[in-house]
Amino acid sequence: MMDARISRAGGGVICLHGQWTLAAIGAHAQELRRELQALPPGGEWDLRDVARLDSFGALLLWQHWGRRWPQQCQCSDVQRATLEAVAQHARGDAIPAPRRAHVLDPVVHLGEATLGAGEHARDLVVLIGQLALNLLHLLRTPAEWPLKEISANVFKAGVRAMPVSALVGFLIGVVLSYLSALQLQMFGADAFIVNILGLGIIRELGPVLIAVLVAGRSGSAMTAQLGVMRVTEEIDALTAMGISPTLRLVLPKVVALALVMPLLVVWTCAIALLGGMVAAWVQMDFSMVFFLQSLPDAVPGANVWIALSKGVAFGTLIALIACHFGLRVKPNTESLAANTTASVVTSISMVILVDAIFAITTRSIGLP
Amino acid sequence: MMNAAAAPILALRRIVTRFGDNVVHDGLNLCVERGEVVSLVGGSGTGKTTLLRHIIGLTRPAAGEVELFGEPLFSGSLAAQRARRRRFGVLFQQGALFSAFTVGENIAFALRETRRVRDTEVQDLVALKLHMVGLTPEQAHLMPAELSGGMIKRVALARALALEPELLLLDEPTAGLDPARSAEFVALIQQLHRALGLTVILVTHDLDTLAALSSKIAVLAERKVISYAGLQETLQLDHPFIHHFFGGEAGRRAFAHLNPETEPA
């Protein structure tokens, strides 16, 4: 009763029975296809005992008939209409095939990528230009500073990042101290642990570590937020109200990260040094008091300024890149995912690139 | 089988829904026979969409039973539950098209998921469904982001019809469409209802849609279905919601042909 069945009546008439629907045929479509194959496509067909015929069932029959009516087909009007709809529209080639891959495609992709990079650079410059104009505007009308947004971003990107950066910083400090202590002990140069940890963490590791963390944590969030606002037309709504989206959405993020990153650098470095100090004490019985006393001599003050300016630079960079990619999101999920990924990858790469530039330009500053 | 065919296609029994302290449904009953086109109407916050989500199985009521095709919605093995889900199609309010897929892939998706339909057959069926909802095969390659509101609804309807459902659930099918498009869409659903013998349950605020489509109207008020009847009978009902909902200017216009005495002089 339920399943689709085929039987042969006298005089070569082929009778179909049961439910010829996708749901009913589904599980044994293969057997039914094989059974149909064994039958001659032409001849006489009787569909009057079929309880229900949907377009899948009709398509199976139509294919078997070689996409034309058999000599005789007994069926109800509804079934005939279903079959006719299939006959008219299921021609096998109705939907034009999508473009196939071409030998020259890699060249085209390379060209597109190059032009795309140029476009990215231009958009980023435009964004920076808009921010500069916004800043000029804000200098003239200080009442319009988006202070609430800035403070909200300081809280989200800064305060909320403190526990995780403390954990990571502490562990990196411990690992670094432990590894260095093993080497230094071999030469009896225990006291140099202060120089290694102090310079290494404050000048290099601290800023880069927190920048990578913030890029992953806040950069992705900013891109996703702006991207969804783009998709839901919230950014257009802001523009329509005469409110500059860069002023309200981008500027607070950039300013907040530029403000909060140096503070996070200080925080992470301090905790990393604490971790290193504790590890040195446990490993080599190195006095913590002596560690703290000799730190200022081992690390000239200029290094702190280098670390702080790195913080500002990295923060600005991460926020700019995150917003740039966020504003490029197109209204589909794929684009949101691609831009969020691109945002994080680009900001981390750029952070390391800028860090290298810092290393070269400041190579004669702050080294004892 | 005979038994299942005779049973109502949808039965809601003593449904209770709570959001925190807010009781939305309290002992709600509704029984829909095969072939009906049922409109769910009610003021905002009476839980029309929530009821639809219960039927789809996206949410579960705090108490009570949802029966589809004569069986409890969550009964049987996973395979049985999945098979049950494939017997109804849903048109979500915003279309809910997969934005990373083309129109054609959106419609083909569920067909491919069955793993029973061959690729060439999928293409044919997609072309057929596109024609059913009044789109051309060339439009199969468009992305959802490139579609207008009316086209999104059409594609979503084609996707809902892909698995040849017996029951079609529509959430605000004409919301966001202009009157001409909305009338077109209503005509489309009517035509499909006739051609495919579907049962349709829709949530709507639009009186024109309601008047044109429904064979039965379920009125949600006081946390229950207070009336489940044809349009004429529903209009006779003496209830504040009915007066408010159907009695306005738009209501008089939509039902002028039914109720001559309420027609403005």
Side-chain angles (χ1 to χ4, degrees):
Chain A
M1 170 70 209
M2 182 85 188
D3 294 343
R5 276 186 303 106
I6 305 168
S7 69
R8 307 193 69 160
V13 180
I14 301 162
C15 298
L16 306 182
H17 316 270
Q19 301 260 348
W20 281 69
T21 61
L22 179 60
I25 294 172
H28 47 266
Q30 284 308 29
E31 293 117 79
L32 199 67
R33 281 203 182 96
R34 227 171 296 131
E35 232 179 299
L36 272 176
Q37 289 281 298
L39 296 169
E44 288 180 34
W45 292 72
D46 187 351
L47 274 59
R48 283 172 302 178
D49 195 34
V50 171
R52 197 161 170 251
L53 178 76
D54 71 4
S55 43
F56 179 67
L59 183 65
L60 278 186
L61 286 178
W62 191 251
Q63 279 181 336
H64 177 64
W65 290 342
R67 295 182 185 276
R68 59 168 182 268
W69 289 96
Q71 280 157 7
Q72 208 182 349
C73 178
Q74 305 256 20
C75 58
S76 69
D77 289 346
V78 177
Q79 289 168 347
R80 188 169 288 275
T82 310
L83 282 164
E84 260 163 14
V86 168
Q88 208 180 339
H89 300 284
R91 296 194 309 263
D93 57 348
I95 295 178
R99 215 181 62 85
R100 288 190 168 275
H102 195 265
V103 193
L104 284 179
D105 275 0
V107 182
V108 174
H109 288 318
L110 182 69
E112 276 172 356
T114 315
L115 292 177
E119 199 189 324
H120 273 291
R122 202 195 61 207
D123 284 357
L124 198 61
V125 170
V126 169
L127 185 65
I128 294 171
Q130 266 171 345
L131 283 178
L133 290 178
N134 285 337
L135 275 176
L136 268 180
H137 174 74
L138 288 177
L139 285 181
R140 265 177 305 190
T141 50
E144 284 189 28
W145 270 95
L147 291 178
K148 268 189 190 158
E149 284 89 342
I150 293 178
S151 105
N153 276 299
V154 164
F155 181 73
K156 274 189 285 189
V159 181
R160 287 266 174 85
M162 284 172 77
V164 68
S165 51
L167 179 71
V168 173
F170 188 84
L171 293 177
I172 291 284
V174 169
V175 170
L176 201 64
S177 168
Y178 178 74
L179 284 177
S180 317
L182 286 179
Q183 306 294 317
L184 290 173
Q185 271 180 323
M186 288 203 303
F187 300 104
D190 297 14
F192 282 99
I193 188 93
V194 183
N195 299 53
I196 291 179
L197 288 186
L199 268 182
I201 287 176
I202 294 176
R203 197 180 162 105
E204 276 302 325
L205 260 180
V208 172
L209 194 68
I210 191 66
V212 170
L213 259 179
V214 168
R217 201 185 158 277
S218 308
S220 58
M222 288 174 180
T223 307
Q225 190 201 6
L226 284 184
V228 172
M229 288 182 84
R230 173 116 247 166
V231 174
T232 54
E233 297 183 312
E234 288 171 60
I235 291 179
D236 298 343
L238 267 183
T239 315
M241 288 177 200
I243 297 166
S244 158
T246 49
L247 196 150
R248 270 309 166 86
L249 297 173
V250 180
L251 187 93
K253 291 180 169 53
V254 176
V255 171
L257 266 198
L259 280 177
V260 91
M261 274 292 280
L263 301 178
L264 280 175
V265 167
V266 172
W267 165 255
T268 314
C269 289
I271 302 270
L273 282 176
L274 177 72
M277 203 162 70
V278 170
W281 173 58
V282 172
Q283 174 77 11
M284 310 191 290
D285 204 17
F286 196 91
S287 155
M288 292 211 234
V289 177
F290 180 72
F291 191 105
L292 287 176
Q293 275 171 348
S294 49
L295 193 60
D297 299 325
V299 185
N303 288 295
V304 177
W305 292 112
I306 292 176
L308 289 179
S309 34
K310 274 185 185 179
V312 177
F314 293 166
T316 316
L317 202 66
I318 291 168
L320 270 178
I321 291 173
C323 293
H324 165 73
F325 281 103
L327 291 173
R328 291 174 62 89
V329 171
K330 294 194 177 61
N332 65 68
T333 48
E334 199 74 10
S335 166
L336 184 63
N339 276 292
T340 311
T341 310
S343 156
V344 175
V345 171
T346 314
S347 16
I348 292 178
S349 319
M350 286 306 284
V351 160
I352 291 176
L353 185 84
V354 170
D355 188 60
I357 295 173
F358 259 101
I360 295 167
T361 49
T362 62
R363 65 187 181 279
S364 55
I365 307 169
L367 292 173
Chain B
M1 181 64 209
M2 281 318 289
N3 193 15
I9 206 156
L10 166 75
L12 301 172
R13 300 213 175 87
R14 299 176 303 277
I15 299 287
V16 179
T17 310
R18 285 189 212 97
F19 293 122
D21 289 338
N22 180 17
V23 180
V24 181
H25 307 127
D26 190 7
L28 176 147
N29 292 299
L30 180 67
C31 208
V32 176
E33 299 297 328
R34 201 167 279 269
E36 299 275 15
V37 180
V38 179
S39 296
L40 292 175
V41 298
S44 49
T46 50
K48 303 180 292 290
T49 299
T50 311
L51 203 58
L52 209 61
R53 289 173 68 84
H54 286 335
I55 300 171
I56 303 166
L58 294 172
T59 51
R60 281 187 184 207
E65 279 170 45
V66 180
E67 278 188 15
L68 269 184
F69 314 111
E71 302 156 327
L73 184 55
F74 288 100
S75 69
S77 64
L78 269 178
Q81 290 191 24
R82 197 200 278 186
R84 192 170 303 127
R85 273 168 197 272
R86 288 184 177 164
R87 289 172 71 183
F88 63 83
V90 185
L91 172 66
F92 289 94
Q93 196 170 346
Q94 312 289 341
L97 296 179
F98 302 125
S99 58
F101 287 174
T102 63
V103 164
E105 287 164 347
N106 259 289
I107 301 170
F109 182 72
L111 283 170
R112 288 193 209 283
E113 280 299 293
T114 61
R115 293 174 206 286
R116 310 286 182 205
V117 189
R118 289 180 183 166
D119 259 1
T120 52
E121 292 168 352
V122 168
Q123 293 299 313
D124 279 346
L125 288 173
V126 167
L128 189 65
K129 303 290 162 193
L130 281 172
H131 167 74
M132 270 188 192
V133 298
L135 296 172
T136 63
E138 287 74 30
Q139 287 166 320
H141 292 304
L142 294 177
M143 296 303 287
E146 299 170 297
L147 304 179
S148 66
M151 272 169 71
I152 287 179
K153 297 258 179 183
R154 278 162 189 266
V155 175
L157 183 63
R159 189 180 69 174
L161 292 172
L163 290 182
E164 316 278 351
E166 294 158 57
L167 172 65
L168 193 58
L169 302 166
L170 313 171
D171 191 2
E172 299 279 2
T174 52
L177 300 184
D178 66 51
R181 289 256 168 283
S182 145
E184 248 175 60
F185 200 73
V186 165
L188 176 63
I189 294 172
Q190 268 176 324
Q191 178 215 328
L192 290 173
H193 172 245
R194 271 198 306 271
L196 306 177
L198 296 168
T199 311
V200 182
I201 298 176
L202 66 147
V203 168
T204 187
H205 276 121
D206 182 27
L207 289 174
D208 293 318
T209 309
L210 186 91
L213 270 180
S214 17
S215 65
K216 287 276 181 68
I217 296 173
V219 182
L220 266 77
E222 298 157 17
R223 298 166 188 168
K224 288 188 170 60
V225 174
I226 56 163
S227 138
Y228 178 61
L231 183 58
Q232 276 285 12
E233 236 176 291
T234 308
L235 285 174
Q236 306 301 323
L237 221 67
D238 188 30
H239 187 276
F241 170 73
I242 305 279
H243 294 309
H244 179 72
F245 191 73
F246 297 98
E249 186 52 42
R252 270 197 290 281
R253 234 183 309 116
F255 305 116
H257 61 289
L258 285 172
N259 254 11
E261 68 265 28
T262 61
E263 205 172 1

